[in-house]
Amino acid sequence: MQTPYFMRPGLPERLDTGKHHTVMSGSPLEERRRTAELLREIIREIVTVDIDDGELTSLADALVPLRDRLAGLPRIERDNSGLHTREHAGERYGRTPLYDRDPLIGLSNPLSPPLREVENTDRRQWEVVFGHAYGGHPGLAHGGYVSAVLDHVLGVVAAGDGVATMTGTLTTRFLLPTPLNTRLVCHGKVDRIEGRKVFCSAVVETDRDVIADAEGIYIRVDPARYG
């Protein structure tokens, strides 16, 4: 198995969680989000393009300087002072957290599809379109991504009163294959609360069919445990 780039020996110390880092929340997000979207488009092209090895070698060689340039830049602080915490975003910026690095909803994360909350609806719901980069069987989305969407929505629903929660159990039922390049909608609800346990359920559906549903138990966590 090839060692991932970020785990290879000899990388500069600046990749560690040490000093000289910048805080993402202190910088404008527009260009970071535009860069992430361009990378999503590149990923989409790479997984679908049909070219010979020589052309791929040329493309890979062109990406190496960009990777090395990024590797030499400061890192985001890996702590709880960024946009991923409710208190920091509210107190410092007067807004709700943006979770811009999140792998599902983060607009600054090129790995996110992204999953987006739908506005102006009677209930809270989210929508997503899985492209070819998220494929499993031909023409179908990988079930792990569907489960991840359900987990995210259930987590948001469980924390609806502002109390942080973490996944205790998640049970997903796949009712139909999940098509690629199709708008999916996910919504959930709290079924009951027993002490620290929040029992909730959610579904993922197209405009015609329910694709999958899930039930989960989410555990309320003392915010002090986040540091």
Side-chain angles (χ1 to χ4, degrees), residues 34-88:
R34 186 169 77 94
T35 302
E37 178 58 28
L38 286 169
L39 287 172
R40 285 189 203 99
E41 294 172 0
I42 290 173
I43 291 170
R44 181 170 62 246
E45 299 301 331
I46 287 175
V47 298
T48 58
V49 71
D50 183 10
I51 54 178
D52 61 35
D53 288 350
E55 188 71 17
L56 284 170
T57 298
S58 176
L59 290 171
D61 289 344
L63 290 174
V64 171
L66 175 60
R67 180 202 65 190
D68 292 345
R69 177 183 175 187
L70 288 169
L73 299 176
R75 303 293 97 185
I76 295 170
E77 289 185 357
R78 299 178 186 177
D79 57 23
N80 293 318
S81 66
L83 287 176
H84 207 83
T85 58
R86 183 184 303 275
E87 291 76 17
H88 177 81

Side-chain angles (χ1 to χ4, degrees), residues 17-195:
T17 59
K19 305 178 180 63
H20 311 300
H21 293 178
T22 57
V23 179
M24 185 183 73
S25 55
S27 303
L29 293 174
E30 287 78 9
E31 289 305 303
R32 184 182 293 271
R33 290 176 171 180
R34 186 169 77 94
T35 302
E37 178 58 28
L38 286 169
L39 287 172
R40 285 189 203 99
E41 294 172 0
I42 290 173
I43 291 170
R44 181 170 62 246
E45 299 301 331
I46 287 175
V47 298
T48 58
V49 71
D50 183 10
I51 54 178
D52 61 35
D53 288 350
E55 188 71 17
L56 284 170
T57 298
S58 176
L59 290 171
D61 289 344
L63 290 174
V64 171
L66 175 60
R67 180 202 65 190
D68 292 345
R69 177 183 175 187
L70 288 169
L73 299 176
R75 303 293 97 185
I76 295 170
E77 289 185 357
R78 299 178 186 177
D79 57 23
N80 293 318
S81 66
L83 287 176
H84 207 83
T85 58
R86 183 184 303 275
E87 291 76 17
H88 177 81
E91 292 177 7
R92 186 170 176 183
Y93 297 101
R95 62 178 184 234
T96 56
L98 295 178
Y99 303 96
D100 245 59
R101 295 169 64 190
D102 188 273
L104 285 177
I105 66 171
L107 297 182
S108 293
N109 187 338
L111 300 181
S112 73
L115 177 68
R116 303 175 187 269
E117 186 164 6
V118 182
E119 299 181 355
N120 302 320
T121 57
D122 296 335
R123 60 187 175 189
R124 291 193 73 178
Q125 62 184 32
W126 289 257
E127 64 181 6
V128 66
V129 176
F130 288 120
H132 289 284
Y134 305 92
H137 289 287
L140 302 176
H142 193 291
Y145 290 111
V146 178
S147 286
V149 165
L150 287 160
D151 183 37
H152 177 88
V153 170
L154 287 172
V156 174
V157 170
D161 57 1
V163 179
T165 63
M166 299 189 74
T167 308
T169 63
L170 176 66
T171 303
T172 303
R173 294 193 311 158
F174 296 95
L175 307 174
L176 290 172
T178 306
L180 293 176
N181 301 313
T182 300
R183 180 178 179 266
L184 305 172
V185 173
C186 186
H187 54 86
K189 61 184 178 68
V190 172
D191 297 319
R192 68 184 189 279
I193 299 175
E194 297 179 3

